Every structure is written in structure tokens, then in C-alpha cells.
Amino acid sequence: MAKRAVSIYDIARLAGVSTATVSNVLNQKGSYSERTRDLVLRIADEQGYVANFAAKSLREASTKTIALLTPDVSNDFFATLVLKVEGLLHAAGYASYICNTANDDEREEEYVRGLISKQVDGIVYIGGTTRAPIQAAADLPVVHIDHTGSTGMSREVYVGNDMSQVSYDMTATLFARGCERVALVSVSASLYRTAEHDQAAGYHRYLMEHDMRLDEDLVLEGPHRQTSLIEAAQLVGDCLDKGRVFDGVVALGDRVALGVVNALKERGMAVGHDVRVIGMDDSIYSRISSPAISTVRRNTVEMAERGVEALLAMLRGEKPAQTHIVVPHEVVERATTLGG
Amino acid sequence: MAKRAVSIYDIARLAGVSTATVSNVLNQKGSYSERTRDLVLRIADEQGYVANFAAKSLREASTKTIALLTPDVSNDFFATLVLKVEGLLHAAGYASYICNTANDDEREEEYVRGLISKQVDGIVYIGGTTRAPIQAAADLPVVHIDHTGSTGMSREVYVGNDMSQVSYDMTATLFARGCERVALVSVSASLYRTAEHDQAAGYHRYLMEHDMRLDEDLVLEGPHRQTSLIEAAQLVGDCLDKGRVFDGVVALGDRVALGVVNALKERGMAVGHDVRVIGMDDSIYSRISSPAISTVRRNTVEMAERGVEALLAMLRGEKPAQTHIVVPHEVVERATTLGG
DNA sequence: TTGAAAGCGATACCAC
DNA sequence: GTGGTATCGCTTTCAA
């Protein structure tokens, strides 16, 4: 915003017509002669007319803007989702606000208040967990992508994987490869992703279904919220130091898995043979590791597509077909479980 | 936006005062008695009043919104900048639009047109290159962070490293460690970062200043714009296959460096001894590699701070102290140049 | 086909 | 200290 831009009035005056006609032509609504259309369009072009969205939004009660709330865009899993969601929304004529909440409820509430004031048409949560419902008279459509926590809005859609099944499949993969004692490693940075208990649940369930006892000593959880890589390495190192024995590791996140692999390698263990490891997210971390880390592909592209699709439907006033969309995941085995 | 929210009129009516008074109280402007203030505030609170920013923006010709244009937020270097810039702007009361331009001029122009229509107060380019100037009557403040290309606006500030000096220092580091034939590897994905010729320039300059001939065979450039990791590995592999000899590699980017390191390891070369490698950005890629990759820390935090500072100054109507801010960089040596 | 005018919600000038 | 009212730029209804 800076110097006064040309308005619809200027165009109207220059074209010798009314603002109503100019508006009609510009929005291809109502009716007008071909002559006036060409005239108006020419003048608008000459004057470099650009519609003022603030005015339009005020009048139409719609800003064509969506807010993207994510704990941290510098996390590559979230960033990939943000990229894709923004792209799809842009293609549909919506602009996207980016808000980094740090998974902090207070911060998030403050953001949401501001966003409602800014009259966003909808909200997309990407990753993380929300504990507090939205406090507002507004009632806007909300989509949760790989995010837990409800807002209390009347229209919300959840998109994500069946996380319990994901960790179940991870655990199953290790046992299928011959593991007998499988540890679970989770650092709180993985909380950024979604509620931890869902993820641990599948691990527990697998053990129970196969008549195995849950050994608390093999459930490693880190407290910090930074550098999950290093923290995971420490957890595993400590565990080994205490003389605990395991031959498989379910790591809740590829970064965690990478830290685990590094720690095991340092201790001289043959990863993929002595100990098998599986991570999650199919991110760059699992691919660049040596040995390459087995992981779970969670299908971010489909999540983004289904989420945006549902949001656009709600914005059109339709009722989304489903409120809980489960995107299929897929175990991708690499050297850390296949050996070789 | 959804059901009609309470407006300043509702508050005025309920409080038995005028909208002018309500506005004054809410904005702490003008004068009003303590009694009316308390009354208005109480009612506003009871009604869950939230100011309508569209109206405010229309009236004040300022949206308190900034657009962040970046080629690709899923690139972790850019994402880190986006995260930091957004945080600082948020603290200053500005919301941020996120726009992924894919470094495509046409796409970028379309974005900018929309953003001007949306009445953004300013634009921050983060990474990449822009070839086309902004076509618009609007004149808004622009900040370029690690980005090349001017917009033609009257107020713009550039923030970044001296990229020529960065590659000069990278080259110098390798020679200082005893290298005698140093290759340059750049894949076009590194173009996302900034103009390539600046980066190559330092390499050339170092060779010239030290009376060395530039060997075209050792300048490896990839054409694609994806997975710089794999592409870099191929470039280096091909180069070795052709029997070319080198003992040092300047990789324009940590991902590129990681690809190079992987390729060299696969060929059985001792990275850090037979061949030394240095990357750039001090990203996660250089740290998780084994051996750890020497790199150049480019100081994203300071870039974000200086950039936002300059933008806020311009938004206040001040003239920024400098239009070209050079943020210092720093070579970080690790195993790939130190050996060991 | 075209236009006059009301109104979206907030601000600010100027009277009182 | 308080309030009436014009105004920001655009859309839309209704009449001509």
C-alpha cells in the first residue's frame, strides 16, 4: 500500500459510465454491451487498475484467504505439507497466511484471534497438537492435517494417517525380520507431529496381540524439544550403557531413527543385522543415511490434496463427504531392516 | 468469515454511546471518561468483539500484512529464513502471506499482482532470483534476503552474504589444506539460492589471484532442478569415470556436498584425505553426514533480523540506513577438510 | 443495458 | 468528553 491507486470510480469517470457497470464488466456479472466492455477493459488496463481487496472483502464478507498454522515450518515434514497446501489453495484463488505456533497454545490462541480479525475464510492446521478450542463468535471451516485437537467449530475435517496402525506396522516389520526384543524411541520433538500416545499405542497393541510383555526399559522417551537427532542418540546410548538388550528399534520419526542409527554405529553394532531400525515419514533423513533407513511413507501429497479438497467444499457451503479422512501409509524397507 | 460478527455499531448501541467514542476507546485515541471506557470495554468483551480488519484496512490504507516470496518453503534453508522472518514480523504486529514461486517469473508476477490487490504493506523475497520487475502503480517497500533481482520499487533493501567471497573462502580453505586440483560442483537447484555466477566468481577469482588456470573439466554443472543430492552424485561419478583427477571439491550447497561425499565414498575414496570437500549453508545435511562436512555458516538469523529491521523502518516511513546489508559468513571446518 | 444509491465496518474531523 | 457524519473502494438491488 502506498500512493493512492486508481479506483473503480476513476475508471467509471474516464469511461463515462457508472461504477456499477464497471464492476459488472470487471467481474463478468450482470449484462453490458460489448462496446462498454471493451471500453472499460481498455481504460482499466491503461490505468493499471488493480481491485482493492480490502474493499471487496468488506463488502463480500470473504477475504479469499486461508491461515496455515504449523508448529514450525523449518521442520521438513511440515514444510512439505505447507508447500503443497499453499500451492493447491493458490490454484483455487486463495492466499495463505503462514503462522508458526511452536506448538504453544497461548501463542496459537493469539494467532487465531488475529486471524479471525483479519477475516480469514478458513484455517488449516498442519502438524502438532492443539489443546485449547478456538474462542470466537466466528464459525469458520477448519481442516486438520496430521494434527490432533479439535477447535469446537461446527465444520471441521481431519486428515491424517492411522498413527496407531503406523506404529503397529513398524513393529510388525521388525518382528517379521526376526527381531525378538524391540525398543520404542520417541523424543518429545516428535510431539510436534501428533499426539504421542497414538503412536505408542500401535507398538503396545502389537506386543499384546502377540502375547509379549511390554518391557518399560525398552520404551525410551526424551524430554527436550530440540535436535531430536542428538537426543535420540543419547537415549539409545544410555540404554546400551545400562546393559539392556534389544535387536530392533521403532523410532518415531526419521530424525530420531537417524540419531539411533548413528549411536548404534558408533558402538560398533551392525545396523540391519545386529539391530534393525525403522523410522517414519520417508523424509530426506532416512534416505541419506548409510545404511539407508527403513521407514513409513505417509503420503503428504495425498494429505494435502484431500485436506484442501475438503476445505474448498466447506467454503462452497457444501458438507464434506467425510469428517475423518484416513490416508494410507506404506512401509518402505531399506537396509536397516533388510540388512545387506 | 461466517456469521455476522458484532460490530462497533452493536457495541455503541449497547453502551448507549456513539461509534466514534467506541472507536476512540478501543484504539486508545482521543479522549473519553473513565466510566465510558470501562463500559465500552466491558460490553466489547461480553460480546466477543473482534475488529474487522477489512474495514480497518480499507479506511487506513494499510493491512498490516507482508508477503513472503520464496522459491520453495520445503527447502530447509529458505524455511529457516521464513520461520524467523515470520516470527519477527508477527512480533511487530504484521501477518505474513507465504508464496512459493518455484523461481518461476510468470508465477511470481501473478503472485505479486494478487498481493498488490490484497494491499500488502510490503514484500520480502527470500532466496532465489527474480528477473522481471514488478509492474504496478503501487510503490511498496521491498526487502531481498539472499535474493537477487531488483523490483524497480523506490524503496528496496538487499540483505545477504557476499557470495563471491563465500566461494572464494571455500576455495581458499581447500587449498590451505593442501589441495592442488579443486573442482566446482553446482546443480541448478542451487540457483534457487541466488544467481550462480556470483558463486562461481569467487572460485574463479581465487584461481586467478593464485596464478592457476581454470580447468573447464573441473567445473561441473547440473541441469535439472530436483534432488540436487542425486544429481551431484552423478556429476561427480561421471567426472571420475572420465578419468579426471581432483583432490578437492567446492560444492555450492550442503545437499550438493552430501551427494558428492556419498559418490566419493561409493568409489572407495577417503573423503577428508584423498579428496576434501566443502559445502555451504551449515544445514542439517552437512552435520548428519559421516564424515561431517565442512561448510559455510551464512547466518540466517542475522539476515532475518536485519531484513525485518529494514522493512519495519521503511514501513514507518523512515529511510533505511543502508540499502545493501552484507551479513558476515564463516567457514566451519569439519571432517571433510580436516580429515581424521 | 445502464445507473443511482445503500451499505459493508471502522476512523477521524469538527461541532457541540 | 461526546457524537454526527463523510469516507475508504466495491458490490448489489432496484428502477429507469
Side-chain angles (χ1 to χ4, degrees), chain A residues 71 101-110 129 131 225:
Chain A
T101 63
N103 235 22
D104 173 328
D105 288 334
E106 212 168 311
R107 215 176 135 79
E108 183 172 316
E109 277 180 61
E110 188 211 331
T129 312
R131 282 164 223 89
R225 1 189 72 201

Side-chain angles (χ1 to χ4, degrees), chain A residues 271-283:
Chain A
V271 179
H273 300 91
D274 299 344
V275 181
R276 294 172 201 272
V277 178
I278 186 164
M280 174 169 95
D281 287 356
D282 188 25
S283 70

Side-chain angles (χ1 to χ4, degrees), chain A residues 8-9 23 29 49 52 59:
Chain A
I8 208 173
Y9 282 95
S23 176
K29 282 183 184 166
Y49 171 79
N52 181 325
R59 182 63 224 234

Side-chain angles (χ1 to χ4, degrees), chain B:
Chain B
M1 222 139 215
K3 68 178 156 207
R4 166 84 97 275
V6 292
S7 81
I8 209 172
Y9 284 95
D10 302 315
I11 310 287
R13 185 167 36 74
L14 260 38
V17 298
S18 75
T19 60
T21 299
V22 175
S23 176
N24 278 337
V25 171
L26 260 22
N27 295 291
Q28 304 180 50
K29 283 183 183 166
S31 54
Y32 40 80
S33 70
E34 203 172 316
R35 258 186 65 250
T36 29
R37 189 199 60 195
D38 293 344
L39 179 64
V40 167
L41 253 29
R42 208 197 66 228
I43 295 184
D45 189 48
E46 279 171 11
Q47 301 296 315
Y49 171 79
V50 189
N52 181 326
F53 237 83
K56 194 186 274 241
S57 299
L58 174 57
R59 185 58 225 233
E60 302 196 321
S62 158
T63 52
K64 287 283 183 181
T65 299
I66 304 297
L68 272 32
L69 275 76
T70 188
D72 174 5
V73 253
S74 75
N75 172 313
D76 89 315
F77 187 77
F78 301 153
T80 303
L81 280 167
V82 167
L83 171 70
K84 191 71 190 170
V85 168
E86 188 276 326
L88 292 168
L89 287 175
H90 177 67
Y94 286 84
S96 301
Y97 282 122
I98 179 77
C99 308
N100 293 286
T101 63
N103 236 23
D104 173 327
D105 288 333
E106 212 168 310
R107 216 176 134 79
E108 182 171 316
E109 276 180 60
E110 189 211 331
Y111 262 118
V112 171
R113 222 186 339 269
L115 291 167
I116 288 177
S117 181
K118 283 241 164 64
Q119 313 289 119
V120 295
D121 290 346
I123 294 183
V124 179
Y125 286 94
I126 295 180
T129 313
T130 295
R131 282 165 225 87
I134 293 179
Q135 297 291 351
D139 182 56
L140 20 85
V142 175
V143 168
H144 306 260
I145 299 182
D146 189 37
H147 172 266
T148 57
S150 101
T151 57
M153 295 293 107
S154 70
R155 293 170 294 168
E156 44 187 342
V157 169
Y158 295 83
V159 182
N161 303 108
D162 178 341
M163 293 313 289
S164 165
Q165 192 60 39
V166 166
S167 59
Y168 183 96
D169 291 346
M170 290 164 77
T171 313
T173 301
L174 293 175
F175 280 104
R177 291 286 162 208
C179 294
E180 300 192 328
R181 284 179 57 77
V182 171
L184 177 75
V185 182
S186 139
V187 305
S188 38
S190 55
L191 282 182
Y192 271 76
R193 196 174 303 102
T194 185
E196 70 182 328
H197 71 272
D198 272 357
Q199 300 184 15
Y203 170 78
H204 293 175
R205 183 157 56 85
Y206 183 91
L207 295 182
M208 280 194 17
E209 288 184 9
H210 294 77
D211 300 318
M212 284 179 271
R213 201 175 61 68
L214 176 71
D215 184 347
E216 295 288 351
D217 285 353
L218 295 183
V219 176
L220 314 180
E221 286 174 298
H224 317 314
R225 4 187 72 200
Q226 287 175 337
T227 52
S228 44
L229 199 78
I230 290 163
E231 194 170 319
Q234 283 171 344
L235 284 173
V236 169
D238 288 355
C239 186
L240 288 170
D241 287 344
K242 289 182 184 152
R244 295 176 188 161
V245 180
F246 54 87
D247 56 7
V249 179
V250 169
L252 297 182
D254 282 343
R255 286 174 79 143
V256 175
L258 186 57
V260 170
V261 167
N262 285 348
L264 294 172
K265 279 200 298 189
E266 261 178 36
R267 308 275 167 148
M269 311 194 72
V271 179
H273 299 92
D274 298 346
V275 182
R276 294 171 200 272
V277 178
I278 186 165
M280 172 168 95
D281 288 355
D282 189 25
S283 69
I284 186 82
Y285 305 103
S286 58
R287 265 170 275 143
I288 62 183
S289 164
S290 151
I293 300 173
S294 298
T295 189
V296 178
R297 188 169 293 149
R298 295 179 56 208
N299 239 323
T300 49
V301 170
E302 187 172 342
M303 283 194 216
E305 286 171 351
R306 305 290 307 268
V308 170
E309 190 184 331
L311 181 63
L312 293 176
M314 291 191 282
L315 289 167
R316 283 192 301 266
E318 299 166 17
K319 218 179 154 82
Q322 306 168 53
T323 59
H324 291 258
I325 299 173
V326 176
V327 171
H329 62 271
E330 179 187 352
V331 170
V332 180
E333 287 201 79
R334 303 205 179 103
T336 58
T337 57
L338 293 177

Side-chain angles (χ1 to χ4, degrees), chain A residues 164-165 167-168 171 197-207:
Chain A
S164 166
Q165 192 59 40
S167 58
Y168 182 97
T171 312
H197 73 272
D198 272 358
Q199 300 186 14
Y203 170 77
H204 293 175
R205 182 157 56 85
Y206 183 91
L207 295 181

